[in-house]
Amino acid sequence: MTAPLTPRDNQPPEEPHTPPTASGAGSSAEPPAHPPTGNDAPVDPPLGQELREAALTVLVLALVGALLGLLWLWLAPRIPLVADTHNVYLKDTEGEEAIGADGVFLLIAAGFGIVSAAVLFRLRRRGGVPLVIALAVGGLLGSVLGWQLGMVLGPTDDLAAHAAQVGPGVVFDGPLRLQAMGVLLAWPIAAMVTHLALTGLFGPRDEEPPLPGTPVPGAPDLAKDDPAA
């Protein structure tokens, strides 16, 4: 027979040593680093600042409309008129100068819309609803200002007085007008489409959450710390 083993000097028996598990290792190790949250991402400016920037955008685009009016006045074809002692007539009844004036305004306004949207996207890449609305409103105001300025600086619309001034049978230029008022929307529509395309191609992207099982940078590798692995 063998005597039961008793601990020396009345010391308690040693407990069997068990390797730390993944949960134990995780409890003693530093807490894993968390992925960047919204606080780490770029923060949008406050609403008050966005409204101020939107108001400034509307003002600048409306003033740029003066340049639109000057270009339209310079590039639009003239409408030749001729008068007798009683009435004023078109010199060329089949001429397309009136339609040409609308087409020139349309092309210039669309170009202004593309350029203004590109500049705004370059300066304020993250955009924002107030700025996008300001882009459309400012483009419309700029178109209206350019249209009115072109008519004011162009030939007078008082045809009777103009005909009496030049005399019967003398060709003179008719007033600069828009036949299709829809061309005033060319600037805001072109600006909105351009800004939408630039935002979709080059705008900031929101970080997607990591997939389950994807290691997080900075977190300890629990698989390496587990001896049973």
Side-chain angles (χ1 to χ4, degrees), residues 106-189:
L106 175 67
L107 294 177
I108 298 176
F112 273 57
I114 295 173
V115 173
S116 60
V119 172
L120 180 63
F121 181 79
R122 178 67 178 84
L123 297 177
R124 187 71 166 79
R125 185 175 295 270
R126 295 191 65 87
V129 176
L131 280 180
V132 175
I133 296 177
L135 183 63
V137 174
L140 182 59
L141 293 179
S143 295
V144 173
L145 177 61
W147 164 49
Q148 293 294 323
L149 184 63
M151 290 195 307
V152 170
L153 298 181
T156 178
D157 57 354
D158 190 350
L159 298 181
H162 200 176
Q165 179 182 0
V166 298
V170 179
V171 179
F172 61 94
D173 293 335
L176 190 60
R177 295 175 178 171
L178 287 179
Q179 304 298 323
M181 303 305 296
V183 298
L184 294 174
L185 299 177
W187 186 338
I189 290 177

Coordinates of all heavy atoms in Angstrom, one line a residue, residues 106-189:
L106 N -28.3 80.4 -75.1 CA -28.4 79.1 -74.5 C -27.0 78.5 -74.3 O -26.6 77.9 -73.3 CB -29.2 78.2 -75.4 CG -29.3 76.7 -75.0 CD1 -30.0 76.5 -73.7 CD2 -29.9 75.9 -76.1
L107 N -26.1 78.6 -75.4 CA -24.8 78.1 -75.3 C -23.9 78.8 -74.3 O -23.2 78.2 -73.5 CB -24.1 78.2 -76.7 CG -24.7 77.3 -77.8 CD1 -24.0 77.5 -79.1 CD2 -24.7 75.8 -77.4
I108 N -24.0 80.1 -74.2 CA -23.2 80.9 -73.2 C -23.7 80.6 -71.8 O -22.8 80.3 -70.9 CB -23.3 82.4 -73.5 CG1 -22.8 82.7 -74.9 CG2 -22.6 83.2 -72.4 CD1 -22.9 84.2 -75.3
A109 N -25.0 80.5 -71.6 CA -25.5 80.2 -70.3 C -25.1 78.8 -69.8 O -24.8 78.6 -68.7 CB -27.0 80.4 -70.2
A110 N -25.2 77.8 -70.7 CA -24.8 76.5 -70.4 C -23.3 76.4 -70.0 O -22.9 75.7 -69.1 CB -25.1 75.5 -71.5
G111 N -22.5 77.1 -70.7 CA -21.1 77.2 -70.4 C -20.8 77.8 -69.1 O -20.0 77.3 -68.3
F112 N -21.6 78.9 -68.7 CA -21.4 79.5 -67.4 C -21.9 78.5 -66.3 O -21.3 78.5 -65.2 CB -22.3 80.8 -67.3 CG -21.6 82.0 -67.8 CD1 -21.0 82.1 -69.1 CD2 -21.4 83.1 -67.0 CE1 -20.4 83.2 -69.5 CE2 -20.8 84.2 -67.4 CZ -20.2 84.3 -68.7
G113 N -22.9 77.7 -66.6 CA -23.3 76.7 -65.6 C -22.3 75.7 -65.3 O -22.0 75.3 -64.2
I114 N -21.6 75.2 -66.4 CA -20.6 74.2 -66.2 C -19.4 74.7 -65.4 O -18.9 74.1 -64.5 CB -20.2 73.6 -67.6 CG1 -21.3 72.9 -68.3 CG2 -19.0 72.7 -67.5 CD1 -21.0 72.5 -69.7
V115 N -19.0 75.9 -65.8 CA -17.8 76.5 -65.1 C -18.1 76.8 -63.7 O -17.3 76.6 -62.8 CB -17.4 77.8 -65.9 CG1 -16.3 78.5 -65.1 CG2 -16.9 77.4 -67.3
S116 N -19.3 77.4 -63.4 CA -19.7 77.8 -62.0 C -19.8 76.5 -61.1 O -19.3 76.5 -60.0 CB -21.0 78.5 -62.0 OG -22.0 77.8 -62.5
A117 N -20.3 75.4 -61.7 CA -20.4 74.2 -60.9 C -19.0 73.6 -60.6 O -18.8 73.1 -59.5 CB -21.3 73.2 -61.6
A118 N -18.2 73.7 -61.6 CA -16.8 73.1 -61.4 C -16.0 73.9 -60.4 O -15.3 73.4 -59.5 CB -16.1 73.1 -62.7
V119 N -16.2 75.3 -60.4 CA -15.5 76.1 -59.4 C -16.0 75.9 -58.0 O -15.2 75.8 -57.1 CB -15.6 77.6 -59.8 CG1 -15.1 78.5 -58.8 CG2 -14.9 77.8 -61.2
L120 N -17.3 75.8 -57.9 CA -17.9 75.6 -56.6 C -17.5 74.2 -56.0 O -17.2 74.1 -54.8 CB -19.4 75.7 -56.7 CG -20.2 75.5 -55.3 CD1 -19.8 76.5 -54.4 CD2 -21.7 75.4 -55.6
F121 N -17.5 73.2 -56.9 CA -17.0 71.9 -56.4 C -15.6 71.9 -56.0 O -15.2 71.2 -55.1 CB -17.3 70.8 -57.5 CG -16.9 69.4 -57.1 CD1 -17.7 68.7 -56.4 CD2 -15.7 68.9 -57.6 CE1 -17.4 67.4 -56.0 CE2 -15.3 67.6 -57.2 CZ -16.1 66.8 -56.4
R122 N -14.8 72.6 -56.7 CA -13.3 72.7 -56.4 C -13.1 73.4 -55.0 O -12.3 73.0 -54.2 CB -12.6 73.5 -57.5 CG -11.1 73.7 -57.2 CD -10.4 72.3 -57.3 NE -9.0 72.5 -57.0 CZ -8.4 72.6 -55.9 NH1 -9.1 72.6 -54.8 NH2 -7.1 72.8 -55.8
L123 N -13.9 74.4 -54.8 CA -13.8 75.2 -53.5 C -14.4 74.5 -52.3 O -14.0 74.6 -51.2 CB -14.3 76.6 -53.7 CG -13.6 77.5 -54.7 CD1 -14.3 78.8 -54.8 CD2 -12.2 77.7 -54.4
R124 N -15.5 73.8 -52.6 CA -16.3 73.2 -51.5 C -16.7 71.8 -52.0 O -17.8 71.6 -52.4 CB -17.6 74.1 -51.3 CG -18.4 73.7 -50.1 CD -17.7 74.0 -48.8 NE -18.6 73.9 -47.6 CZ -18.9 72.7 -47.1 NH1 -18.5 71.6 -47.5 NH2 -19.8 72.7 -46.0
R125 N -15.8 70.9 -51.8 CA -15.9 69.6 -52.4 C -17.1 68.8 -51.7 O -17.8 68.0 -52.4 CB -14.6 68.8 -52.3 CG -14.6 67.4 -52.9 CD -13.2 66.8 -52.8 NE -12.3 67.6 -53.6 CZ -12.0 67.3 -54.9 NH1 -12.7 66.3 -55.5 NH2 -11.1 68.0 -55.5
R126 N -17.3 69.0 -50.4 CA -18.3 68.2 -49.7 C -19.7 68.7 -50.1 O -20.7 68.1 -49.7 CB -18.1 68.2 -48.2 CG -16.8 67.6 -47.8 CD -16.8 67.4 -46.3 NE -17.9 66.5 -45.8 CZ -17.7 65.2 -45.7 NH1 -16.6 64.6 -46.1 NH2 -18.7 64.5 -45.3
G127 N -19.8 69.9 -50.7 CA -21.1 70.4 -51.1 C -22.0 70.7 -50.0 O -21.6 71.3 -49.0
G128 N -23.2 70.2 -50.0 CA -24.2 70.5 -49.0 C -25.5 71.0 -49.7 O -25.5 71.6 -50.8
V129 N -26.6 70.7 -49.1 CA -27.9 71.1 -49.7 C -28.0 72.6 -49.9 O -28.4 73.1 -51.0 CB -29.1 70.6 -48.8 CG1 -30.4 71.1 -49.4 CG2 -29.1 69.1 -48.8
P130 N -27.7 73.5 -48.9 CA -27.7 74.9 -49.1 C -26.9 75.4 -50.3 O -27.3 76.2 -51.1 CB -27.3 75.5 -47.8 CG -27.5 74.5 -46.8 CD -27.3 73.2 -47.5
L131 N -25.7 74.8 -50.5 CA -24.9 75.3 -51.6 C -25.4 74.8 -52.9 O -25.3 75.6 -53.9 CB -23.4 74.8 -51.4 CG -22.6 75.5 -50.4 CD1 -21.2 74.9 -50.3 CD2 -22.4 77.0 -50.8
V132 N -26.0 73.6 -53.0 CA -26.5 73.2 -54.3 C -27.7 74.0 -54.6 O -27.9 74.4 -55.8 CB -26.9 71.7 -54.1 CG1 -27.6 71.2 -55.4 CG2 -25.7 70.8 -53.9
I133 N -28.6 74.3 -53.7 CA -29.7 75.2 -54.0 C -29.2 76.6 -54.4 O -29.8 77.2 -55.3 CB -30.6 75.3 -52.7 CG1 -31.3 73.9 -52.4 CG2 -31.7 76.3 -53.0 CD1 -32.1 73.9 -51.2
A134 N -28.2 77.1 -53.7 CA -27.7 78.4 -54.1 C -27.1 78.4 -55.5 O -27.2 79.4 -56.2 CB -26.6 78.8 -53.1
L135 N -26.5 77.3 -55.9 CA -26.0 77.1 -57.3 C -27.1 77.3 -58.3 O -26.9 78.0 -59.3 CB -25.3 75.8 -57.4 CG -24.6 75.5 -58.8 CD1 -23.5 76.5 -59.0 CD2 -24.0 74.1 -58.8
A136 N -28.3 76.7 -58.1 CA -29.4 76.7 -59.0 C -30.0 78.1 -59.0 O -30.3 78.7 -60.0 CB -30.4 75.7 -58.7
V137 N -30.2 78.7 -57.8 CA -30.9 80.0 -57.7 C -29.9 81.1 -58.2 O -30.4 82.0 -59.0 CB -31.2 80.3 -56.2 CG1 -31.7 81.7 -56.0 CG2 -32.3 79.3 -55.7
G138 N -28.7 81.0 -57.9 CA -27.7 82.0 -58.4 C -27.6 81.9 -60.0 O -27.5 83.0 -60.6
G139 N -27.6 80.7 -60.5 CA -27.6 80.6 -62.0 C -28.8 81.2 -62.6 O -28.7 81.8 -63.7
L140 N -30.0 81.0 -62.0 CA -31.2 81.6 -62.6 C -31.2 83.1 -62.5 O -31.5 83.8 -63.5 CB -32.4 81.0 -61.9 CG -33.8 81.5 -62.3 CD1 -34.0 81.1 -63.8 CD2 -34.9 80.9 -61.5
L141 N -30.8 83.6 -61.4 CA -30.7 85.1 -61.2 C -29.6 85.7 -62.2 O -29.8 86.7 -62.8 CB -30.3 85.5 -59.8 CG -31.4 85.2 -58.8 CD1 -30.9 85.6 -57.4 CD2 -32.7 85.9 -59.1
G142 N -28.5 85.0 -62.4 CA -27.5 85.4 -63.4 C -28.1 85.4 -64.8 O -27.8 86.3 -65.6
S143 N -28.9 84.4 -65.1 CA -29.5 84.4 -66.5 C -30.4 85.5 -66.7 O -30.4 86.2 -67.7 CB -30.2 83.1 -66.7 OG -29.3 82.0 -66.7
V144 N -31.3 85.8 -65.7 CA -32.2 86.9 -65.8 C -31.5 88.3 -65.9 O -31.8 89.1 -66.7 CB -33.2 86.9 -64.6 CG1 -34.1 88.1 -64.6 CG2 -34.0 85.7 -64.6
L145 N -30.4 88.4 -65.1 CA -29.7 89.7 -65.1 C -29.0 89.8 -66.5 O -29.0 90.9 -67.1 CB -28.6 89.7 -64.0 CG -27.7 90.9 -64.0 CD1 -28.5 92.2 -63.8 CD2 -26.7 90.8 -62.9
G146 N -28.4 88.8 -67.0 CA -27.8 88.8 -68.3 C -28.7 89.1 -69.4 O -28.4 89.9 -70.3
W147 N -29.9 88.6 -69.3 CA -31.0 88.8 -70.4 C -31.4 90.3 -70.3 O -31.5 90.9 -71.4 CB -32.1 87.9 -70.1 CG -33.4 88.2 -70.7 CD1 -33.6 88.5 -72.1 CD2 -34.7 88.3 -70.1 NE1 -34.9 88.8 -72.3 CE2 -35.6 88.7 -71.1 CE3 -35.2 88.1 -68.8 CZ2 -37.0 88.8 -70.9 CZ3 -36.5 88.2 -68.6 CH2 -37.4 88.6 -69.6
Q148 N -31.7 90.8 -69.1 CA -32.1 92.2 -69.0 C -31.0 93.2 -69.5 O -31.3 94.2 -70.1 CB -32.6 92.5 -67.6 CG -33.8 91.7 -67.2 CD -35.0 92.2 -68.0 OE1 -35.2 93.4 -68.3 NE2 -35.9 91.2 -68.3
L149 N -29.8 92.9 -69.0 CA -28.7 93.8 -69.4 C -28.4 93.8 -70.9 O -28.2 94.8 -71.5 CB -27.4 93.3 -68.7 CG -26.2 94.2 -68.8 CD1 -26.4 95.6 -68.3 CD2 -25.0 93.6 -68.2
G150 N -28.5 92.6 -71.5 CA -28.3 92.6 -73.0 C -29.4 93.4 -73.7 O -29.1 94.1 -74.7
M151 N -30.6 93.3 -73.2 CA -31.7 94.1 -73.9 C -31.5 95.6 -73.7 O -31.7 96.4 -74.6 CB -33.1 93.6 -73.4 CG -33.5 92.2 -73.8 SD -35.2 91.9 -73.6 CE -35.4 92.3 -71.9
V152 N -31.1 96.0 -72.5 CA -30.9 97.4 -72.2 C -29.8 98.0 -73.0 O -29.9 99.1 -73.5 CB -30.7 97.6 -70.6 CG1 -30.3 99.0 -70.3 CG2 -32.0 97.2 -69.9
L153 N -28.7 97.3 -73.1 CA -27.5 97.8 -73.8 C -27.6 97.6 -75.3 O -26.8 98.2 -76.0 CB -26.2 97.1 -73.3 CG -25.9 97.3 -71.8 CD1 -24.6 96.6 -71.4 CD2 -25.8 98.8 -71.5
G154 N -28.5 96.8 -75.7 CA -28.7 96.5 -77.2 C -29.5 97.6 -77.8 O -29.8 98.7 -77.2
P155 N -29.9 97.4 -79.1 CA -30.7 98.4 -79.8 C -32.0 98.7 -79.1 O -32.5 97.8 -78.4 CB -30.9 97.8 -81.2 CG -29.8 96.8 -81.3 CD -29.5 96.3 -79.9
T156 N -32.5 99.9 -79.2 CA -33.7 100.3 -78.6 C -34.9 99.5 -79.1 O -34.9 99.1 -80.2 CB -34.0 101.8 -78.7 OG1 -35.2 102.1 -78.1 CG2 -34.1 102.1 -80.2
D157 N -35.9 99.3 -78.2 CA -37.1 98.6 -78.6 C -38.2 99.5 -79.1 O -39.3 99.1 -79.4 CB -37.6 97.7 -77.5 CG -37.9 98.5 -76.2 OD1 -37.6 99.7 -76.2 OD2 -38.4 98.0 -75.2
D158 N -37.9 100.8 -79.1 CA -38.9 101.8 -79.7 C -38.6 101.9 -81.2 O -37.9 102.7 -81.7 CB -38.7 103.1 -79.0 CG -39.8 104.1 -79.4 OD1 -40.6 103.8 -80.2 OD2 -39.8 105.2 -78.7
L159 N -39.3 101.0 -81.9 CA -39.1 100.8 -83.3 C -39.5 102.1 -84.1 O -38.8 102.5 -85.1 CB -39.8 99.6 -83.9 CG -39.3 98.3 -83.3 CD1 -40.1 97.1 -83.9 CD2 -37.8 98.1 -83.4
A160 N -40.6 102.7 -83.7 CA -41.1 103.8 -84.4 C -40.1 105.0 -84.3 O -39.8 105.6 -85.4 CB -42.4 104.3 -83.9
A161 N -39.6 105.2 -83.1 CA -38.6 106.3 -83.0 C -37.3 106.0 -83.7 O -36.7 106.9 -84.3 CB -38.3 106.6 -81.5
H162 N -36.9 104.8 -83.7 CA -35.6 104.4 -84.3 C -35.8 104.5 -85.8 O -34.9 105.0 -86.6 CB -35.3 103.0 -84.0 CG -33.8 102.6 -84.2 ND1 -33.2 101.4 -83.9 CD2 -32.8 103.4 -84.8 CE1 -32.0 101.4 -84.2 NE2 -31.7 102.6 -84.8
A163 N -37.0 104.1 -86.4 CA -37.2 104.2 -87.8 C -37.3 105.6 -88.3 O -36.7 106.0 -89.3 CB -38.5 103.4 -88.2
A164 N -37.9 106.5 -87.5 CA -37.9 107.9 -87.8 C -36.6 108.5 -87.8 O -36.3 109.5 -88.5 CB -38.9 108.6 -86.9
Q165 N -35.7 108.0 -86.9 CA -34.4 108.6 -86.8 C -33.5 108.3 -88.0 O -32.8 109.1 -88.5 CB -33.7 108.1 -85.5 CG -32.3 108.6 -85.3 CD -31.7 108.1 -84.0 OE1 -32.3 107.3 -83.3 NE2 -30.5 108.5 -83.7
V166 N -33.6 107.0 -88.4 CA -32.7 106.6 -89.5 C -33.3 106.9 -90.9 O -32.6 107.1 -91.9 CB -32.4 105.1 -89.5 CG1 -31.7 104.7 -88.2 CG2 -33.7 104.3 -89.6
G167 N -34.6 107.1 -91.0 CA -35.3 107.4 -92.2 C -35.8 106.2 -93.0 O -35.4 105.1 -92.7
P168 N -36.7 106.5 -93.9 CA -37.3 105.4 -94.7 C -36.3 104.7 -95.6 O -35.4 105.3 -96.2 CB -38.4 106.1 -95.5 CG -38.7 107.4 -94.8 CD -37.3 107.8 -94.2
G169 N -36.5 103.4 -95.7 CA -35.6 102.6 -96.5 C -34.2 102.3 -96.0 O -33.4 101.6 -96.7
V170 N -33.9 102.7 -94.8 CA -32.6 102.5 -94.2 C -32.7 101.3 -93.3 O -33.6 101.2 -92.4 CB -32.1 103.7 -93.5 CG1 -30.7 103.4 -92.8 CG2 -32.0 104.9 -94.4
V171 N -31.7 100.4 -93.4 CA -31.7 99.2 -92.6 C -31.1 99.5 -91.2 O -30.1 100.2 -91.1 CB -30.9 98.0 -93.2 CG1 -30.9 96.8 -92.3 CG2 -31.5 97.7 -94.6
F172 N -31.8 99.0 -90.2 CA -31.3 99.3 -88.8 C -31.5 98.0 -88.0 O -32.3 97.1 -88.4 CB -32.0 100.4 -88.1 CG -33.5 100.3 -88.0 CD1 -34.0 99.8 -86.8 CD2 -34.3 100.7 -89.1 CE1 -35.4 99.7 -86.7 CE2 -35.7 100.5 -88.9 CZ -36.2 100.0 -87.7
D173 N -30.9 97.9 -86.9 CA -30.9 96.7 -86.0 C -32.1 96.7 -85.1 O -32.4 97.7 -84.5 CB -29.7 96.5 -85.2 CG -28.4 96.3 -86.0 OD1 -28.6 95.7 -87.1 OD2 -27.3 96.6 -85.5
G174 N -32.8 95.6 -85.1 CA -33.9 95.4 -84.2 C -33.5 95.2 -82.7 O -32.3 94.9 -82.5
P175 N -34.4 95.2 -81.8 CA -34.0 95.0 -80.4 C -33.6 93.6 -80.1 O -34.0 92.6 -80.8 CB -35.3 95.4 -79.6 CG -36.4 95.1 -80.6 CD -35.8 95.5 -81.9
L176 N -32.7 93.4 -79.1 CA -32.2 92.1 -78.8 C -33.2 91.4 -77.8 O -33.4 92.0 -76.7 CB -30.8 92.2 -78.1 CG -30.1 90.9 -77.9 CD1 -29.8 90.1 -79.2 CD2 -28.7 91.2 -77.2
R177 N -33.8 90.3 -78.2 CA -34.8 89.7 -77.3 C -34.6 88.2 -77.3 O -33.9 87.6 -78.1 CB -36.2 90.0 -77.9 CG -36.6 91.5 -77.8 CD -37.9 91.7 -78.5 NE -38.4 93.1 -78.4 CZ -39.4 93.6 -79.1 NH1 -40.2 92.8 -79.9 NH2 -39.7 94.9 -79.0
L178 N -35.3 87.6 -76.3 CA -35.4 86.1 -76.3 C -36.8 85.7 -76.7 O -37.8 86.2 -76.2 CB -35.1 85.6 -74.8 CG -33.7 85.7 -74.3 CD1 -33.6 85.2 -72.9 CD2 -32.8 84.9 -75.2
Q179 N -36.8 84.8 -77.7 CA -38.1 84.3 -78.1 C -38.6 83.1 -77.3 O -39.8 83.0 -77.0 CB -38.0 83.8 -79.6 CG -37.5 84.9 -80.6 CD -38.4 86.1 -80.6 OE1 -39.6 86.0 -80.6 NE2 -37.8 87.3 -80.8
A180 N -37.7 82.3 -76.8 CA -38.0 81.2 -75.9 C -37.5 81.4 -74.5 O -36.3 81.4 -74.3 CB -37.5 79.9 -76.5
M181 N -38.4 81.7 -73.6 CA -37.9 82.1 -72.3 C -37.3 80.9 -71.5 O -36.7 81.0 -70.5 CB -39.1 82.6 -71.4 CG -39.7 83.8 -72.1 SD -38.6 85.2 -72.5 CE -38.0 85.6 -70.8
G182 N -37.5 79.7 -72.0 CA -37.0 78.5 -71.4 C -35.5 78.5 -71.4 O -34.9 77.7 -70.6
V183 N -34.8 79.2 -72.2 CA -33.4 79.2 -72.3 C -32.8 79.9 -71.0 O -31.6 79.7 -70.7 CB -32.8 80.0 -73.5 CG1 -33.3 79.3 -74.8 CG2 -33.3 81.4 -73.5
L184 N -33.6 80.6 -70.2 CA -33.1 81.1 -69.0 C -32.8 80.0 -68.0 O -32.0 80.2 -67.0 CB -34.2 82.0 -68.3 CG -34.5 83.3 -69.1 CD1 -35.6 84.0 -68.4 CD2 -33.2 84.2 -69.2
L185 N -33.3 78.8 -68.2 CA -33.0 77.7 -67.3 C -31.7 76.9 -67.7 O -31.3 75.9 -67.0 CB -34.2 76.7 -67.3 CG -35.5 77.2 -66.8 CD1 -36.6 76.2 -66.9 CD2 -35.4 77.7 -65.4
A186 N -31.1 77.3 -68.8 CA -29.9 76.6 -69.2 C -28.8 76.7 -68.2 O -28.1 75.6 -68.0 CB -29.4 77.2 -70.6
W187 N -28.5 77.8 -67.6 CA -27.5 77.9 -66.6 C -27.7 77.0 -65.4 O -26.9 76.2 -65.0 CB -27.3 79.4 -66.2 CG -26.2 79.7 -65.3 CD1 -25.5 78.9 -64.4 CD2 -25.6 81.0 -65.1 NE1 -24.6 79.5 -63.7 CE2 -24.6 80.8 -64.1 CE3 -25.8 82.2 -65.6 CZ2 -23.7 81.9 -63.7 CZ3 -25.0 83.3 -65.2 CH2 -24.0 83.1 -64.3
P188 N -28.9 77.2 -64.7 CA -29.1 76.3 -63.5 C -29.1 74.8 -63.8 O -28.6 74.0 -63.1 CB -30.4 76.8 -62.9 CG -31.1 77.5 -64.0 CD -30.0 78.1 -64.9
I189 N -29.7 74.4 -65.0 CA -29.7 73.0 -65.3 C -28.3 72.5 -65.6 O -28.0 71.4 -65.1 CB -30.7 72.8 -66.5 CG1 -32.1 73.0 -66.1 CG2 -30.5 71.4 -67.0 CD1 -33.1 72.9 -67.2

